[in-house]
Amino acid sequence: EILILVKDGFSAAEASGESGVLKAPPVIMISKINGKRIRVKLSAGSSMAETLRDYAGSRAVERVEPNAVYSAAYIKEGGAGANKWGLEKIQAKSGWTLTTGNGDVTVAVLDTGVDYAHPDLSGRKVLKGLNFADERNYLDPMDAHGHGTHIAGIIAAFSSDLAGMTGVAFNCRVLAVKVLNSMGYGYLSDVAAGIRYAADNGAKVINISLTGPDSPLLKEAVDYAYSKGCVIVAAAGNDSSGALSYPAAYENVIAVSATDENDSLAKFSNHSAKSVCAPGKNIYSCAPGRQYEVLSGTSMASAYVSGLSALLESINGHATNFQVLLSIAGNSDDKGAA
């Protein structure tokens, strides 16, 4: 798939080639995102490189880029099921003497959806956002994968049962925005749309525990959410690299690397001078169907920082996203170079 930005003064039909601006374009137009952007699916056997070059040369096209695929940033490593070391490591109980979260503070979870029927997440805890990953179930962000439910649990779950899960900001709410499918993958166009949707629908914090390539469309969505005052938190990536994945690499995003119980950088974690670190190895949290599981990844680390951001927003509802970033970066323990 490709994404076309239409030039001012031209129609979607002209930009897509339907009007004959391009000769016999090897595409099937599948949807118009809005008046300026078109999502197009290539026909079988088409060359991505050739198609991008053809469209870039069209007088009706401002910009064209691949509709890249993004993926949930986690690893199934196993581990002790009852080990809830993450909350202890970030000294959550001390933070809870100041606030356990405000119900008016909402964290958008852009992910595989959320199991809103899970006992630790049910009731007013989860707001049902849109499902961008499946147009047939547009109004139902139920999680059929598990990753998004795990992330939501770390951020805001609450259970009085010792076997259950308590999140960092357990009195805040989660807005479930489904942008990844049941296999944990999703299109750039859906991720970008989900970010804008979250920003326009009351999210104070946006957690993006997924990774992929750089994209002008993705950066525009991130900058839009930032301009609306959202705190944007994203997974650094799990490639054992000294470079960040996207959207974590963008200036207006808090990038989060993963650490283990010894405060050492997890072997799988990407990192940079820009990133902060949080627990991300063998993390216990919710799973669909009233279950719990242990996962690892910068996804999990990102969720801890999103929960912390929600607590900071709960204490000072007028805090800017930049102030939240400075507070987190300025009050973290310096563990030295990776």
Side-chain angles (χ1 to χ4, degrees), residues 96-145:
W96 291 339
T97 62
L98 300 175
T99 183
T100 56
N102 184 326
D104 292 332
V105 175
T106 298
V107 182
V109 174
L110 270 69
D111 219 289
T112 60
V114 174
D115 180 3
Y116 44 78
H118 194 287
D120 296 354
L121 293 167
S122 58
R124 292 184 65 254
K125 181 66 66 178
V126 178
L127 303 172
K128 296 180 187 178
L130 296 183
N131 178 354
F132 292 92
D134 184 358
E135 293 180 355
R136 297 167 299 178
N137 297 297
Y138 195 57
L139 298 177
D140 187 3
M142 176 56 78
D143 186 7
H145 178 277

Side-chain angles (χ1 to χ4, degrees), residues 10 17 31 50 52 72 107 119-120 139 208 214 231 238 246 282 324:
F10 290 88
S31 62
E50 290 179 6
L52 290 173
V107 182
D120 296 354
L139 298 177
I208 312 177
D214 187 12
V231 178
N238 301 331
Y246 291 89
N282 294 339
V324 171

Side-chain angles (χ1 to χ4, degrees), residues 115-203:
D115 180 3
Y116 44 78
H118 194 287
D120 296 354
L121 293 167
S122 58
R124 292 184 65 254
K125 181 66 66 178
V126 178
L127 303 172
K128 296 180 187 178
L130 296 183
N131 178 354
F132 292 92
D134 184 358
E135 293 180 355
R136 297 167 299 178
N137 297 297
Y138 195 57
L139 298 177
D140 187 3
M142 176 56 78
D143 186 7
H145 178 277
H147 186 269
T149 301
H150 199 272
I151 296 303
I154 295 170
I155 294 171
F158 179 76
S159 174
S160 57
D161 187 336
L162 291 177
M165 176 63 192
T166 298
V168 178
F170 59 82
N171 275 323
C172 291
R173 295 196 292 178
V174 164
L175 173 65
V177 183
K178 187 168 182 174
V179 297
L180 303 179
N181 63 20
S182 60
M183 300 298 290
Y185 296 97
Y187 280 115
L188 160 64
S189 55
D190 295 332
V191 175
I195 293 171
R196 287 178 173 271
Y197 170 80
D200 288 338
N201 285 273

Side-chain angles (χ1 to χ4, degrees), residues 80-102:
N83 187 354
K84 304 173 187 178
W85 69 273
L87 287 174
E88 296 176 5
K89 180 62 67 175
I90 67 169
Q91 302 175 41
K93 288 185 178 179
S94 295
W96 291 339
T97 62
L98 300 175
T99 183
T100 56
N102 184 326

